[in-house]
Amino acid sequence: MTEQLRLLAIEAARLGAAVCLRHWGETVHLATKSAAGDVVTAVDRAAEETVRAALLEARPDDGVLGEELPERIGTGSVQWVVDPLDGTTNYIRRLPHFGTSVAARSTADGSWLAGAVCAPALGMTWSAAKGLGAQLDSGSGEVRLPLALMESSVRLVGTGLSYDPGHRRRQLRELGTAMAEYTDMRRFGAAALDLCLVAQRSLDAFFEDDLAVHDWAAGALIAEEAGAVVTRSESAGASARWQ
């Protein structure tokens, strides 16, 4: 079952990402959500509608929890968790690190079953199914994660910052301690993609303590299935690291 869910997650994520890519660079309606810098576009909603339609056409009894639309309570065995446009700030600034994230979890025990993240401007789709490992498709077929990279002394960590000024100040104060194990850091601005970069082993770790479940749902499973150690909190974000 998990492999079928992975394939559906890939299909839905790619459809949502195609909506985002189609409108990339256009002037779209923009609004501020919870705080300055936390923005949403009309494309976010259109992409989520596309993802939801694909999921429910295939599995009409399932529930869907998205970022922009009201939650759909289902009677099926799966709840889908969707971030239609992760990296909205990147998107409106013409930075290519954005994508659509789709994950499936069991309604029986809450376990994460499958997920996919599609970054259309990068031409990359990451995916995983519980117990079956993680894959990357860059257009020439799937390769198993993590990738085989050159040996080096480089240790890279990724992170993100809160939209809340007080929370952000605390994160910056604590950054020096968090960096102690690493030689450098990267800040790409899309948690789902950051977690997938951990899955690749392009990043050695990622942490962010101000994320919603839709931000990390698919990426955390992909990193975990690649072999990284993952922690999740629906109220306090997620982290992933290689030991």
Side-chain angles (χ1 to χ4, degrees):
M1 174 184 174
T2 56
E3 175 63 7
Q4 286 77 19
L5 293 175
R6 181 183 79 92
L7 295 175
L8 179 55
I10 291 172
E11 177 188 355
R14 284 176 170 166
L15 288 170
V19 173
C20 299
L21 190 61
R22 190 179 312 130
H23 297 286
W24 195 33
E26 294 180 5
T27 300
V28 296
H29 177 72
L30 185 67
T32 298
K33 295 198 289 186
S34 60
D38 186 9
V39 296
V40 62
T41 74
V43 177
D44 294 68
R45 185 180 181 93
E48 186 166 327
E49 288 171 344
T50 297
V51 170
R52 182 175 292 207
L55 295 173
L56 296 180
E57 180 179 6
R59 296 180 57 89
D61 295 331
D62 287 348
V64 184
L65 174 64
E67 183 176 14
E68 307 304 335
L69 300 177
E71 180 179 357
R72 181 187 192 272
I73 305 298
T75 59
S77 61
V78 168
Q79 181 194 49
W80 296 91
V81 180
V82 177
D83 191 343
L85 179 48
D86 184 49
T88 302
T89 299
N90 288 346
Y91 184 82
I92 65 172
R93 291 298 181 100
R94 292 286 285 178
L95 297 170
H97 291 85
F98 64 87
T100 299
S101 171
V102 179
R105 64 177 166 186
S106 167
T107 56
D109 62 10
S111 62
W112 294 97
L113 304 174
V117 177
C118 179
L122 301 176
M124 303 171 80
T125 302
W126 301 268
S127 65
K130 183 180 180 182
L132 298 177
Q135 292 80 29
L136 166 65
D137 189 341
S138 299
S140 55
E142 292 184 337
V143 296
R144 189 90 167 175
L145 295 176
L147 301 178
L149 302 176
M150 290 185 291
E151 292 290 334
S152 76
S153 61
V154 172
R155 294 274 295 165
L156 292 179
V157 63
T159 191
L161 298 173
S162 174
Y163 294 113
D164 177 79
H167 195 150
R168 187 164 61 244
R169 284 193 292 271
R170 179 181 63 76
Q171 290 172 321
L172 290 170
R173 286 195 302 270
E174 296 173 353
L175 187 57
T177 301
M179 283 289 300
E181 298 180 51
Y182 303 98
T183 59
D184 205 345
M185 68 170 289
R186 296 293 183 267
R187 170 79 168 98
F188 294 112
L193 273 64
D194 286 329
L195 287 161
C196 291
L197 292 175
V198 175
Q200 289 186 185
R201 213 157 190 168
S202 298
L203 293 177
D204 295 286
F206 169 79
F207 63 89
E208 189 169 351
D209 65 355
D210 192 21
L211 298 173
V213 62
H214 54 262
D215 294 310
W216 53 255
L221 178 66
I222 293 165
E224 189 171 59
E225 284 295 323
V229 177
V230 171
T231 60
R232 304 169 173 87
S233 170
E234 296 208 17
S235 62
S239 66
R241 68 191 303 269
W242 289 96
Q243 291 185 323

